Amino acid sequence: MKLITYLENGREKVGALTADEASVRPLPFADMTAAIEAGRDALVPAGEPVALKDVTLLAPIPRPRQDVICLGMNYLAHAKEAAQYDKEAFQQEKPVAVYFSKRVTEAVPPEGYIDSHPGLVRRLDYEAELAVIIGKTAKDVPAEKAGDYVFGYTVLNDVSARDVQTGHKQWYFGKGLDGFTPMGPCILTADEVPFPPALDISCRVNGETRQHARTDELITSIADTIAELSSGMTLLPGTIIATGTPAGVGMGMDPPVFLKPGDVVECEIEKIGLLRNTVK
Ligand code: MG
């Protein structure tokens, strides 16, 4: 099942795509977080299908109730390119997961704009990522049970201001600016793919492929991430975990190339869909 959040006649709704993905059937929940809390068995569409062309797509979770939990340098080739760009900021001494938080007051919808923050940001970059959505309260979950706690998956662009990110001791400011979290187009429910998902992930800038990998190439797996985090931190339904980005970001190019207004960034994951945004 593919779930979306959308505007119909100015009203925000959640719904499930029809099998042909041309229409949406509304679900009886106030928002996506409520639908997630209700659980997959409760996701029974009620109401007539509405053609997608007659609604406006929003990010599947437009206003997450907590910041996104992110993994840094979680694909081997990306960890190497990041260390080449800025050894002090990115080189890892120990093979442990790098966790950081990404503030998201309002996620950017498909076809929405990435704010380039002129005056503050000079080195704007993209990061295509698989985002995991937690489905039920997770505390002390063993890795072999972690799949039971996953509600679904979406595509997330972990937009990053490299100069702001590395200009401070922590990444929080450079990762959490307004307009830095495009997400969507849908949540693919976890029952649609084997766990862990092994899906093609890619990113194109102005049509040129920059990133291309598979989502089972993570250094710290989804199961180990949920097990480790939940060993000390309660993960609530609706929690979003961005699992890291593959090699091929702008700071990894020689010389580095950064985004500018007008650039079109397309992040795509097999079976989930295409997230396209323009830099303004
Ligand atoms: Mg990232």
Side-chain angles (χ1 to χ4, degrees):
M1 188 178 269
K2 285 184 170 181
L3 305 175
I4 61 169
T5 298
Y6 60 100
L7 282 177
E8 184 187 359
N9 298 323
R11 278 192 58 201
E12 191 173 313
K13 297 183 175 181
V14 291
L17 295 187
T18 53
D20 63 3
E21 298 189 11
S23 304
V24 58
R25 295 191 68 193
L27 289 162
F29 299 102
D31 57 28
M32 189 64 80
T33 303
I36 293 166
E37 283 178 328
R40 224 154 45 218
D41 292 345
L43 303 179
V44 181
E48 291 302 306
V50 178
L52 275 189
K53 65 177 174 52
D54 294 330
V55 305
T56 303
L57 216 52
L58 300 178
I61 305 177
R63 293 168 302 279
R65 65 179 176 191
Q66 294 176 298
D67 290 358
V68 174
I69 299 173
C70 299
L71 281 102
M73 300 182 289
N74 203 28
Y75 287 80
L76 195 57
H78 173 64
K80 284 181 183 162
E81 72 178 354
Q84 273 167 9
Y85 172 77
D86 188 330
K87 196 171 171 186
E88 190 186 345
F90 294 110
Q91 189 153 57
Q92 284 194 81
E93 298 300 326
K94 293 181 290 180
V96 295
V98 175
Y99 297 116
F100 64 94
S101 179
K102 186 173 178 75
R103 166 139 297 207
V104 48
T105 303
E106 181 137 24
V108 177
E111 306 296 339
Y113 288 101
I114 295 167
D115 189 338
S116 63
H117 294 270
L120 174 63
V121 175
R122 288 169 297 114
R123 296 184 170 191
L124 185 70
D125 211 350
Y126 52 85
E127 295 189 352
E129 305 200 9
L130 174 74
V132 174
I133 317 293
I134 295 294
K136 54 185 181 181
T137 301
K139 185 75 173 72
D140 295 324
V141 175
E144 56 272 21
K145 292 262 168 59
D148 300 343
Y149 289 78
V150 176
F151 177 82
Y153 307 96
T154 191
V155 184
L156 188 146
N157 185 348
D158 177 19
V159 176
S160 306
R162 300 299 181 197
D163 46 340
V164 182
Q165 180 186 357
T166 59
H168 297 265
K169 278 290 176 195
Q170 299 211 352
W171 299 354
Y172 191 68
F173 189 33
K175 290 279 192 174
L177 302 185
D178 292 344
F180 268 25
T181 310
M183 192 198 303
C186 67
I187 293 174
L188 179 73
T189 54
D191 56 312
E192 298 279 353
V193 285
F195 183 84
L199 305 172
D200 210 73
I201 179 170
S202 61
C203 179
R204 294 178 294 280
V205 178
N206 302 328
E208 178 194 3
T209 298
R210 296 280 185 86
Q211 298 183 284
H212 189 199
R214 288 180 69 80
T215 59
D216 57 347
E217 296 171 359
L218 303 178
I219 295 171
T220 301
S221 69
I222 296 168
D224 286 343
T225 298
I226 291 172
E228 183 164 63
L229 289 174
S230 76
S231 72
M233 183 188 277
T234 302
L235 304 176
L236 298 175
T239 294
I240 302 164
I241 301 173
T243 55
T245 202
V249 297
M251 74 170 169
M253 298 174 73
D254 185 18
V257 177
F258 296 103
L259 296 172
K260 57 187 186 311
D263 284 349
V264 177
V265 185
E266 296 176 299
C267 300
E268 187 165 19
I269 299 179
E270 181 189 359
K271 290 193 164 76
I272 303 174
L274 172 68
L275 173 64
R276 179 170 46 224
N277 301 95
T278 302
V279 178
K280 76 164 183 189

